[in-house]
Amino acid sequence: MSESKSRPPQDRPWESGWAPDTTRAPGTRRLWLAGTLALATITACVTAITVMDSESGEQEARAAEPTTLSSSAPGGLISFATPSKDGTEKPGADRAEPSPSPSTSASSASPSPKPGKKAPKPPKASPAPSKHPKPPSTHGISIRSVNFPDHYWRVRDGYVRLDQIGSGPEQREDATFQRVAGLADSSCYSFTTADGRYLRHRSFVLVANTNDGSSLFGKDATFCPRYRSASGTLTLESVNYPGRFLRHRNFQLRLDPYENSHLYHSDSSFRMVAGLD
């Protein structure tokens, strides 16, 4: 068949008497291209697997190596760990030793007592003074008038009167008192009866009452002595009413203002003697 003759369509080779070339198998070029591509793909996969295996092996080897300060610290710091005596490093040697507890250091700092010597005992605290001192355990005192020497202070029906004292024990006990430190001023006096009541002025009259602990009661029951050196007698001045003194009037003990008279001086002067009981 001449080369100049027009080639019939591939799908109808029998027309015009033309036959296809059968010297070469159909699709050979495509098979070569596919084989080359498959070979390249296999080669790339094998190369990638080899590279990954080598990298994983290096990482495992690095992980197996012990980490030191020189290899892990940034900036190339060098560890100066002190080796142990036998040449091997003890486990946990790089850890800081724990600081001693406060109780241990405190106990070690305090000196231990020497054997054979007893620690001195602390001095006993003196008892606090009582707000209302108790009467002393004595036979007490009795208070006698100067201008009526046979008359004494005596509690009768709650009031303090100037009476003659007979031989009966009840009368003598009613005329005996305990002299204690003043409730409002310890440098002055307060007087208590046998049953624990205090002598106080109320409405300027001397009576025997139970202490209620008030400041007013303490002042009403406190009297300051004013001694007269010449005669050895004394007068008793009120703490909360300065210038008023105890005196008897109509044999009743009361608190009256000072008067510069012989009668007032006699009525307000007394002597303290041993208790009649």
Side-chain angles (χ1 to χ4, degrees), residues 81-105:
T82 305
S84 57
K85 294 182 181 180
D86 54 358
T88 61
E89 185 178 359
K90 297 180 180 180
D94 55 342
R95 298 180 182 176
E97 295 182 358
S99 59
S101 60
S103 59
T104 306
S105 59

Side-chain angles (χ1 to χ4, degrees), residues 148 156 160-163 247-254 267:
F148 291 92
R156 183 162 45 130
V160 183
R161 299 181 55 84
L162 202 62
D163 285 350
R247 66 169 292 186
H248 65 86
R249 188 168 61 184
N250 297 326
F251 300 108
Q252 177 74 53
L253 270 296
R254 55 183 301 110
D267 290 348

Side-chain angles (χ1 to χ4, degrees), residues 65-143:
E65 293 178 359
T67 303
T68 60
L69 181 62
S70 59
S71 61
S72 61
L77 298 178
I78 302 175
S79 174
F80 294 95
T82 305
S84 57
K85 294 182 181 180
D86 54 358
T88 61
E89 185 178 359
K90 297 180 180 180
D94 55 342
R95 298 180 182 176
E97 295 182 358
S99 59
S101 60
S103 59
T104 306
S105 59
S107 59
S108 60
S110 59
S112 58
K114 295 181 179 180
K117 290 186 177 181
K118 295 182 179 179
K121 295 181 179 179
K124 295 182 179 179
S126 57
S130 174
K131 184 177 179 181
H132 306 299
K134 295 181 180 180
S137 57
T138 61
H139 293 290
I141 62 168
S142 293
I143 302 175

Side-chain angles (χ1 to χ4, degrees), residues 143-154 161-166 171-172 175 248 251 271 273 276:
I143 302 175
R144 187 175 65 187
S145 171
V146 168
N147 53 350
F148 291 92
D150 56 347
H151 284 62
Y152 296 82
W153 287 15
R154 178 192 173 194
R161 299 181 55 84
L162 202 62
D163 285 350
Q164 288 181 322
I165 306 301
Q171 292 185 12
R172 304 181 75 85
H248 65 86
F251 300 108
R271 294 181 186 273
V273 298
L276 298 179

